[in-house]
Amino acid sequence: MMNEGRQGKWGEIPVLFLLKSLLFSYILTGGLLLLLALLLYKVGLSQKMVSICIIVIYVLATFFAGFITGKKLKSRKFLWGALMGVAYFLVLVVVSLAVNRQPGVLADSLFTTLVLCGGGGMLGGMLS
């Protein structure tokens, strides 16, 4: 009779699906970054343009992760989308710290990137 009405909420969350959505967003990011590198090589984009393109890539990747997650889970889509955006951001921070080993490099745009990733995921979830 222990909490019969409240089964484990974690059992209801498709963790594997969420990880697959996150993986998809990083594969999309990799492809778009390769395309950006090609454009940089062929066209010679300015530093400002490259920075804008990277921001757009982050937002697009989190948007699609949120969209896919919202389609699958069907309830609280905006919350799941935002969660995917924040998870994307956290992986991004961990990888950046592992590669750069200098926390100061991320400090300049850390909050802005968090808001953009979370917002992109939330928008994707809302529009799913």
Side-chain angles (χ1 to χ4, degrees), residues 78-99:
F78 70 97
L79 189 60
W80 286 111
L83 177 71
M84 292 306 294
V86 170
Y88 179 94
F89 169 78
L90 291 175
V91 171
L92 189 67
V93 168
V94 168
V95 169
S96 295
L97 287 174
V99 170

Side-chain angles (χ1 to χ4, degrees), residues 30-49:
L32 291 174
L33 286 175
L34 283 173
L35 181 63
L36 179 61
L38 179 67
L39 285 173
L40 182 60
Y41 176 71
K42 292 288 186 183
V43 180
L45 299 173
S46 68
Q47 178 66 33
K48 184 171 183 142
M49 189 60 158

